[in-house]
Amino acid sequence: MKLHHIDGHIQTILLAEYPDKLLLLDGCCRSDVTMLKRFITQTLQRPFSDLALIVVTHMHPDHAGAANTLRKITGCKIATANVSGQWYSGLEGRLMHLTDIFLAKWVAKRMKKPRLNFWYSSQLDADYKLNDGEQLPGFSEWVALATQGHTDRDLSLHHLPSNKVYVADLMVKVKNKYIPPFPIFYPNRYRASLHKIITLKPQSLILAHGGEVTLTEHDYQHLLQLAPKIPKTHWRAVKERLKNPRSLMPNKR
């Protein structure tokens, strides 16, 4: 197995290459489809249909945005966590979906990336639903780990032979520091997920935003200290702003 680290629009794309098939460790951005096809067909010189499985670790735009489109083009299968319902359900879910797309565009602008299409369906019907500790269909050396907290359905992917774990957005790297992601809907689950990874003692972690890294005990403790005790969500952030109207006013000097 060869694991390719590809620069996606706003995140690292992880593509596992095998002699007879390809595994995409996350669903990318909608805007990554053309680039990913070019990488597979030109760089690897393989048919796009060799893409056999996509694991969607959670439903945010840079992790699920291309999944439906890639399945339609290549005929691949999609695997997600075995959690009932849709993450973006109801009116509140649709509003959150729009907010998350806006935030992804904001991140792209901050990274000085070109304006590309982020729109994707808020609904995803998986071909496989994975439980904690279950092997990926057709890729038995990979195991799904339930690492909820960021959302209610986050997955990490453990490559057993190398003891490396793709943790998606379980943490992000900013200025050589590791911090919890935003949002965190389930703080207790998030802390439990960190402890699960710590107990695993992985050789290294692969972040969607930060590349492959090796965390020290100090790094893990710092993350646990920063982990919130109450949810940190879009709506709570707005409410805090509204409680302090001055924070909405421009600075005058």
Side-chain angles (χ1 to χ4, degrees):
M1 187 275 294
K2 184 175 183 180
L3 187 61
H4 299 279
H5 295 236
I6 309 165
D7 289 332
H9 194 43
I10 61 172
Q11 83 293 336
T12 300
I13 298 171
L14 283 304
L15 181 69
E17 182 183 8
Y18 292 83
D20 58 337
K21 55 194 172 184
L22 301 170
L23 165 67
L24 192 60
L25 300 194
D26 226 333
C28 311
C29 295
R30 168 71 180 272
S31 51
D32 289 319
V33 171
T34 300
M35 181 274 296
L36 183 63
K37 181 179 181 180
R38 187 184 307 117
F39 182 85
I40 291 173
T41 59
Q42 297 182 17
T43 303
L44 300 185
Q45 295 188 332
R46 301 181 59 151
F48 204 18
S49 58
D50 274 3
L51 183 60
L53 180 68
I54 302 171
V55 181
V56 173
T57 63
H58 60 291
M59 280 299 297
H60 287 157
D62 50 338
H63 298 268
N68 277 317
T69 300
L70 288 170
R71 178 168 57 183
K72 184 177 180 180
I73 295 172
T74 68
C76 69
K77 302 297 185 182
I78 295 175
T80 64
N82 187 14
V83 177
S84 62
Q86 297 284 343
W87 173 243
Y88 296 117
S89 61
L91 177 59
E92 186 173 306
R94 296 305 175 94
L95 291 174
M96 189 163 61
H97 179 239
L98 295 174
T99 302
D100 287 337
I101 291 174
F102 172 81
L103 288 173
K105 290 183 176 181
W106 178 81
V107 170
K109 185 176 180 180
R110 290 271 307 229
M111 296 174 69
K112 298 182 179 180
K113 294 295 184 77
R115 288 188 176 184
L116 297 175
N117 185 12
F118 274 97
W119 180 259
Y120 69 111
S121 174
S122 63
Q123 309 296 295
L124 181 65
D125 294 320
D127 300 288
Y128 306 109
K129 292 194 172 184
L130 305 173
N131 295 308
D132 183 46
E134 188 172 351
Q135 295 175 341
L136 302 192
F139 297 90
S140 59
E141 64 182 20
W142 291 89
V143 169
L145 302 175
T147 49
Q148 299 176 0
H150 183 43
T151 72
D152 71 343
R153 59 197 65 213
D154 302 90
L155 287 176
S156 293
L157 303 176
H158 186 193
H159 184 244
L160 299 178
S162 65
N163 195 25
K164 295 180 179 182
V165 184
Y166 171 61
V167 294
D169 282 355
L170 186 64
M171 62 198 73
V172 294
K173 186 179 181 182
V174 178
K175 296 181 180 180
N176 292 319
K177 297 289 185 181
Y178 304 102
I179 62 173
F182 178 86
I184 292 181
F185 281 84
Y186 304 94
N188 292 337
R189 298 187 202 181
Y190 179 74
R191 296 174 69 84
S193 296
L194 287 178
H195 282 295
K196 177 183 287 189
I197 297 298
I198 293 170
T199 301
L200 200 61
K201 296 181 179 180
Q203 180 70 28
S204 64
L205 301 180
I206 305 171
L207 316 182
H209 305 277
E212 186 169 351
V213 298
T214 301
L215 271 66
T216 65
E217 184 177 348
H218 174 77
D219 292 326
Y220 283 122
Q221 291 306 315
H222 181 66
L223 263 171
L224 287 167
Q225 289 172 6
L226 293 178
K229 301 294 195 303
I230 60 173
K232 292 183 67 175
T233 67
H234 314 70
W235 314 129
R236 284 177 178 264
V238 171
K239 288 177 183 178
E240 288 300 317
R241 288 282 186 174
L242 294 175
K243 286 180 182 178
N244 183 14
R246 288 187 178 183
S247 66
L248 300 174
M249 299 173 63
N251 291 328
K252 294 182 180 180
R253 300 195 180 194

